[in-house]
Amino acid sequence: MGRAVDDSGTPAEEPATDGEAAGEAAGEAAHDQARPEEDPLALRLEQLILGAGRQYTPFQAARAADVSMELAARFWRAMGFADIGQAKALTETDVIALRRLAGLVEAGLLSEAMAVQVARSTGQTTARLAEWQIDSFLEGLTEPPEPGMTRTEVAYPLVELLLPELQEFLVYVWRRQLAAATGRVVQAADDEEMVDRRLAVAFADLVGFTRLTRRLEEEELGELVEAFETTAADLVAAHGGRLIKTLGDEVLYVADDAGTAAEIGLRLIETLANDATMPELRVGMALGTVTTRMGDVFGNTVNLASRLTSIAPKDAVLVDGALRAELVAAGEAPESEKETDADASYRFALRPLYQRPVRGLGVIEPWLLTRRTPGS
């Protein structure tokens, strides 16, 4: 049911029922008693970032957005926001966000379940980005230059200058990524391929990472992980792959074809081998149908690539039979090294290893992938 409006066209507050008003008042009172006094400078910084001051409880915000409290709570939790009872901690921007999401559902552009997925994927992605920016970026820039100054006092003018620039840059990168993802969907052969696609999936895993965690200081370990993730992300992007996620000592990437995935895997090993601070790397990859959800990939192909990584020798790439077959079909690798001219212009060489059972996947025959040079 729509909300009443006053003569100016502004939505008018509908009177709450006695039960609603009593529940809201009791919730606010209980929460206010439990909440410690908040730093006024921290509140000023929050208001600067959010662009509005606190003025709504969750109940009031849901009502102002004309959204049920149940749906509002689903959206907020999906975005990764903690339950705050009925504290007056929400702003006009929270109301607008609720109204927009609910409006997409009301207009039939998104189902309610899809709107929750949009909220969850956006919340998870931006939460990690925000944590990184605070930990690695703002932390270093907000060291107090003079004794007696607090970090918040330094942070406020800095955030005031950086916020609009970072916001514009975030929107630019998101639009670029959205354009690339849309292009891949449009080029899909059929509707099913938009969700279940045939991709080369690869894991790259640092060897002996658990031992390193016991030997290195926390700062050294953080620097090593950041260097590995940065190197992997740059190589994957530069050579046409897509980084799906990083897991500290492991990265997962995909490529549309076997040749691209193979080239990235070998370059990762070659690059890290030239860095004395890095441990050895092992890579496993498989080709097949995967299911894509919220930017991640799932299915037997992903599981197979993971298993191949776990059994790969140090500084080596193992591939499955399907990826090997595509490399051969594309003229990237010979069918058989024994029957191939040593000067043939193939990019890769493949050597079969012993078949072995893999838990949950049956018996597989891994192939060792190496770079092939003329005359080898």
Side-chain angles (χ1 to χ4, degrees), residues 4 42 119 259 274 293 337:
N274 291 325
R293 287 286 188 280
E337 285 291 339

Side-chain angles (χ1 to χ4, degrees), residues 122-134 229 243-248:
T122 306
Q124 290 177 357
T125 302
T126 53
R128 186 180 180 195
L129 175 62
E131 288 289 343
W132 179 89
Q133 288 175 332
I134 292 299
E229 291 184 352
L243 189 68
I244 299 299
K245 58 186 173 185
T246 59
L247 304 168

Side-chain angles (χ1 to χ4, degrees), residues 73 98 350:
L98 276 180
L350 291 156

Side-chain angles (χ1 to χ4, degrees), residues 106-143:
E106 290 174 7
L109 296 172
L110 295 178
S111 67
E112 187 174 307
M114 182 60 71
V116 171
Q117 281 192 8
V118 168
R120 180 170 290 111
S121 62
T122 306
Q124 290 177 357
T125 302
T126 53
R128 186 180 180 195
L129 175 62
E131 288 289 343
W132 179 89
Q133 288 175 332
I134 292 299
D135 292 343
S136 303
F137 184 49
L138 286 179
E139 184 177 351
L141 292 177
T142 55
E143 287 294 333

Side-chain angles (χ1 to χ4, degrees), residues 58-357:
F59 178 82
Q60 291 169 337
R63 191 166 62 177
D66 201 15
V67 175
S68 71
M69 189 61 216
E70 180 184 2
L71 182 57
R74 287 188 68 197
F75 285 154
W76 281 319
R77 288 167 186 162
M79 286 184 274
F81 302 145
D83 290 340
I84 58 171
Q86 285 303 324
K88 187 170 284 189
L90 301 180
T91 73
E92 188 63 33
T93 57
D94 295 298
V95 172
I96 293 171
L98 276 180
R99 195 177 291 148
R100 282 177 172 159
L101 267 178
L104 292 172
V105 176
E106 290 174 7
L109 296 172
L110 295 178
S111 67
E112 187 174 307
M114 182 60 71
V116 171
Q117 281 192 8
V118 168
R120 180 170 290 111
S121 62
T122 306
Q124 290 177 357
T125 302
T126 53
R128 186 180 180 195
L129 175 62
E131 288 289 343
W132 179 89
Q133 288 175 332
I134 292 299
D135 292 343
S136 303
F137 184 49
L138 286 179
E139 184 177 351
L141 292 177
T142 55
E143 287 294 333
E146 298 178 12
M149 290 187 70
T150 67
R151 186 180 296 276
T152 307
E153 288 172 326
V154 180
Y156 190 93
L158 181 65
V159 170
E160 193 171 26
L161 291 171
L162 284 175
L163 189 62
E165 301 301 325
L166 290 177
Q167 179 175 308
E168 289 297 322
F169 185 69
L170 175 63
V171 172
Y172 156 74
V173 175
W174 171 71
R175 283 180 176 271
R176 265 286 174 191
Q177 294 287 6
L178 189 64
T182 303
R184 290 193 292 271
V185 169
V186 170
Q187 294 173 30
D190 51 49
D191 289 343
E192 289 186 4
E193 195 177 330
M194 294 165 72
V195 176
D196 297 322
R197 305 177 56 196
R198 184 173 172 81
L199 294 171
V201 180
F203 286 89
D205 179 50
L206 292 175
V207 178
F209 186 76
T210 302
R211 290 195 303 274
L212 281 174
T213 60
R214 293 193 292 265
R215 183 166 56 86
L216 295 179
E217 297 290 337
E218 288 184 4
E219 186 172 346
E220 292 177 309
L221 190 65
E223 290 173 354
L224 184 144
V225 168
E226 184 175 358
F228 170 58
E229 291 184 352
T230 300
T231 300
D234 288 349
L235 283 172
V236 170
H239 295 281
R242 295 190 297 285
L243 189 68
I244 299 299
K245 58 186 173 185
T246 59
L247 304 168
D249 61 333
E250 186 176 60
V251 298
L252 167 61
Y253 70 89
V254 300
D256 292 329
D257 62 272
T260 298
E263 182 65 30
I264 292 170
L266 290 174
R267 283 184 179 269
L268 280 169
I269 288 175
E270 292 161 358
T271 302
L272 266 61
N274 291 325
D275 187 341
T277 66
M278 283 289 175
E280 293 94 346
L281 189 71
R282 52 191 173 201
V283 179
M285 60 184 68
L287 179 72
T289 301
V290 302
T291 298
T292 59
R293 287 286 188 280
M294 292 179 63
D296 208 342
V297 290
F298 307 91
N300 285 336
T301 303
V302 180
N303 296 337
L304 178 54
S306 178
R307 297 288 190 274
L308 287 168
T309 306
S310 66
I311 63 174
K314 296 177 180 179
D315 284 339
V317 180
L318 289 188
V319 307
D320 75 328
L323 195 140
R324 177 255 176 189
E326 181 161 301
L327 288 177
V328 171
E332 301 271 23
E335 177 73 35
S336 169
E337 285 291 339
K338 293 180 179 179
E339 301 173 5
T340 302
D341 187 336
D343 293 324
S345 57
Y346 293 108
R347 272 206 294 172
F348 308 112
L350 291 156
R351 179 163 60 88
L353 301 183
Y354 291 111
Q355 291 185 353
R356 64 190 70 192

